[in-house]
Amino acid sequence: MRCCAHILNLIVQDGLRDLNKSIVKVRNVVRYVKSSPNRFEKFKACVEKEKIQSKSLLCLDVSTRWNSTYLMLESALKFVAAFERMEEDDGHFLRYFEDPSSGPPRFLDWENVRLFTKFLGMFYEATLRFSGSLFVTTNVYFHELVCLQDQLNQLCNGRGDPLLKGMAQRMKLKYDKYWGSVDRINPMLFVAVVVDPRYKLKYVRFWIKQWYDKEKADELGLRVREALNRLFKHYSGAMGTPCGASASGTSEFGSSDVATMSFVLSGFGSAEERMKRYNNIYKQHSADEDSVECKSELDRYLLEASVDPETEGFDILDWWRVNSSRYRILSQVARNVLAIPVSTVASESAFSTGGRVLDPFHSSLSPNTVEALICTQNWLRSKDSTEPINLREAMDEVENYELESELAPKPIVGTDFVLD
């Protein structure tokens, strides 16, 4: 399957193909401020005069990377008053912009930038969720797909800002090329939503019905269920469990089969007795079918009530770990499906980090040393750590431990005893 973050990148790049003049003006004023230390100091003075409280600083974008353009616009919006103050205090500011179309940005330009930033923020946040490496991303994909398609449809069909509408229409064309049809999407991404106990199959079917007519929606919903059935059957065979067996290992050979055999052995009897026996067999069969305990793990899972989607701090992996005894086969399916990354960003980032560690000047490092350096950097930068690691404190602890080990009295070892 294609990397979702890369597809998202292509969609946004198409929207920003004809870059708006307002964005160009903001880029030019940021470039002016960042072009020399003296100008940057003047800008910082303007920030202090306007009493702008912000820890973030200006950043100049890379024109070929839309996410850096988004970050530039987001940071620049915090310093609008400082730019206006600089226009008054710095005599070189206006002379830098020979052509009025190149800057500086005016009120209408800043309003346009606010709209663009809000719109691009949705794609930026989706990219971050797609490219995560410390949490499950497979079950996130479908939710982001729902959100993006809904927002693009509203902008394309609405009567809002014409600039934003034109951008959304270009994005929608590229979006439809890759994600416009469910037929083009790997069914495993839908299975990942089904094995999320907060949503299951009903959630997938609901949104498919919002996008397609009833006949097409029913067909696609059936395809997702068939893919799930094939997976469950495959894992059942691999684990040596009949696909129709329940959690306790009992097969679907129920009391209806026993009743049938008893009927054959008991003779034919009268017509009234035969009809009564047939009715009893059917009633027992219906009871067996309606009984949750006699259904497969997959059927029981889908029939049970879903977890509240608003549950705070819900951990899908922990839920499957706790319930693995109830869903012995399905938990194996969930474990492998949820391990699939929807983006190659994390792995590419790891290789990029490796290239910076093992460069032409440090080409003799052993594989163990390179692995230790990369893993340590990842742990130090981990945002999920409840107590961030302080490198200096950690090094001091190691030095103290080594010093204590050197100063500690050595044991006297005798032939039959040990003295401290």
Side-chain angles (χ1 to χ4, degrees), residues 76-301:
L77 282 171
K78 300 173 184 177
F79 301 101
V80 175
F83 284 119
E84 292 173 351
R85 166 75 70 163
M86 196 168 187
E87 185 177 342
E88 298 174 2
D89 296 354
D90 188 354
H92 299 284
F93 187 78
L94 288 176
R95 286 200 293 270
Y96 178 80
F97 305 100
E98 298 177 357
D99 184 4
S101 63
S102 63
R106 300 304 178 190
F107 176 79
L108 186 59
D109 296 313
W110 288 117
E111 288 301 310
N112 288 336
V113 166
R114 281 191 178 88
L115 282 174
F116 292 144
T117 305
K118 187 176 181 180
F119 179 56
L120 292 176
M122 177 178 64
F123 292 91
Y124 181 75
E125 291 170 1
T127 302
L128 292 180
R129 283 190 283 270
F130 281 157
S131 55
S133 60
L134 300 176
F135 52 86
V136 178
T137 58
T138 323
N139 62 327
V140 172
Y141 167 82
F142 187 74
H143 305 294
E144 294 299 329
L145 195 71
V146 169
C147 178
L148 293 174
Q149 179 154 327
D150 183 57
Q151 293 294 324
L152 287 174
N153 285 337
Q154 286 187 31
L155 287 169
C156 291
N157 302 325
R159 296 182 179 180
D161 185 82
L163 293 175
L164 209 58
K165 185 174 182 177
M167 184 187 295
Q169 287 173 342
R170 291 193 295 273
M171 289 182 177
K172 189 68 168 62
L173 289 174
K174 182 67 74 172
Y175 176 94
D176 290 339
K177 179 180 178 181
Y178 291 100
W179 292 334
S181 173
V182 179
D183 297 330
R184 301 174 187 172
I185 300 174
N186 193 316
M188 294 296 283
L189 293 170
F190 298 113
V191 172
V193 184
V194 177
V195 296
D196 189 331
R198 295 168 295 178
Y199 301 102
K200 303 188 180 182
L201 189 59
K202 290 180 180 178
Y203 184 83
V204 177
R205 284 176 171 166
F206 171 79
W207 282 108
I208 289 177
K209 287 178 180 177
Q210 304 300 311
W211 298 338
Y212 302 98
D213 58 70
K214 186 178 184 304
E215 185 177 350
K216 180 69 173 177
D218 291 342
E219 178 190 343
L220 294 172
L222 186 62
R223 283 181 54 196
V224 174
R225 179 59 196 259
E226 287 175 350
L228 192 62
N229 288 341
R230 288 196 302 271
L231 267 177
F232 186 77
K233 185 178 180 180
H234 171 78
Y235 278 79
S236 298
M239 296 178 67
T241 306
C243 64
S246 67
S248 61
T250 58
S251 72
E252 285 188 342
F253 183 81
S255 55
S256 60
D257 301 289
V258 176
T260 305
M261 294 177 67
S262 300
F263 166 74
V264 173
L265 294 174
S266 63
F268 293 102
S270 64
E272 185 178 348
E273 289 176 349
R274 288 199 303 271
M275 182 56 67
K276 187 176 180 180
R277 285 170 183 166
Y278 281 129
N279 289 336
N280 288 335
I281 291 171
Y282 174 72
K283 287 179 182 178
Q284 188 62 53
H285 172 73
S286 298
D288 289 344
E289 277 200 339
D290 294 337
S291 175
V292 174
E293 287 76 10
C294 291
K295 290 183 179 293
S296 69
E297 280 185 18
L298 178 58
D299 293 327
R300 288 190 296 110
Y301 168 77

Side-chain angles (χ1 to χ4, degrees), residues 134-136 139 196-198 307 311-323 338:
L134 300 176
F135 52 86
V136 178
N139 62 327
D196 189 331
R198 295 168 295 178
V307 178
T311 302
E312 188 175 351
F314 179 79
D315 188 334
I316 186 172
L317 297 180
D318 188 58
W319 189 92
W320 277 108
R321 180 184 62 79
V322 172
N323 290 275
L338 295 175

Side-chain angles (χ1 to χ4, degrees), residues 329-388:
I329 300 169
L330 200 57
S331 62
Q332 300 296 316
V333 177
R335 185 184 67 176
N336 290 344
V337 170
L338 295 175
I340 302 171
V342 296
S343 166
T344 60
V345 173
S347 56
E348 288 173 359
S349 176
F351 279 101
S352 299
T353 304
R356 289 192 293 272
V357 172
L358 197 64
D359 59 21
F361 302 100
H362 301 87
S363 57
S364 299
L365 295 175
S366 69
N368 287 339
T369 303
V370 174
E371 181 181 0
L373 290 171
I374 293 175
C375 289
T376 303
Q377 182 191 75
N378 181 266
W379 297 333
L380 289 172
R381 293 180 176 178
S382 175
K383 294 180 180 179
D384 285 2
S385 177
T386 53
E387 296 182 2

